[in-house]
Amino acid sequence: MWSEKRELVKHAANLAKEKHPEGFNKQQLIDASKEVFGGYSANPSKPIKTMEDVNNMGNHMAQVDGHYPVGMSGCYVVGLNGGCGIDCPVFKEGECGEPQEFEARDVIDELGQEEAEEVMASYSCFDRYFGAD
């Protein structure tokens, strides 16, 4: 029978074995559990700020939570966890499926001119901002 706690302990035990090959105690196992998938397995409400966080949360959802498939898209992971928006790492990475939902002015206000221009250059819906046809 599937148990989220059991899966977390399995992953934590593997991590603790890597860190302490001579053997580990209960506290070291607890410490390792806080590191499983970047800490998302111990604290799934931790904010998603980077693409590494997206991957860690996706792995937690598939391998510890167990209710989601392996290989979910970054947008799917972020969306399920309420992180959609201009500050989304998937949007900032140029991989958002719905960038047209954001206004150029809002992107600039949120990210600053330089970062906003880098991000917006990844999306054709912002070509008008750059003077392209």
Side-chain angles (χ1 to χ4, degrees):
M1 182 171 189
W2 183 272
S3 164
E4 188 171 339
K5 289 180 183 177
R6 182 177 292 132
E7 294 304 312
L8 174 57
V9 170
K10 283 182 194 176
H11 287 280
N14 288 335
L15 186 57
K17 284 178 192 173
E18 287 177 23
K19 291 181 140 194
H20 309 284
E22 70 288 347
F24 56 90
N25 61 33
K26 182 178 178 181
Q27 186 58 51
Q28 290 167 325
L29 179 62
I30 291 168
D31 292 343
S33 74
K34 295 175 185 173
E35 296 177 31
V36 173
F37 297 124
Y40 285 96
S41 293
N43 181 12
S45 62
K46 179 179 166 185
I48 298 172
K49 297 183 178 188
T50 66
M51 289 304 288
E52 183 179 4
D53 292 346
V54 171
N55 293 329
N56 281 325
M57 177 53 102
N59 285 327
H60 159 74
M61 292 169 70
Q63 296 182 38
V64 175
D65 182 278
H67 299 289
Y68 298 93
V70 172
M72 294 177 285
S73 73
C75 274
Y76 192 73
V77 171
V78 171
L80 284 174
N81 291 285
C84 292
I86 293 169
D87 205 32
C88 169
V90 177
F91 175 69
K92 289 169 136 183
E93 199 66 29
E95 298 176 14
C96 179
E98 301 294 330
Q100 71 280 0
E101 293 190 10
F102 305 115
E103 295 292 327
R105 176 60 29 213
D106 294 334
V107 176
I108 294 166
D109 289 347
E110 180 82 21
L111 303 179
Q113 186 72 34
E114 189 174 318
E115 184 179 5
E117 286 183 4
E118 286 179 28
V119 170
M120 291 189 307
S122 302
Y123 300 105
S124 61
C125 63
F126 294 113
D127 284 352
R128 193 176 71 199
Y129 173 81
F130 295 104
D133 294 322

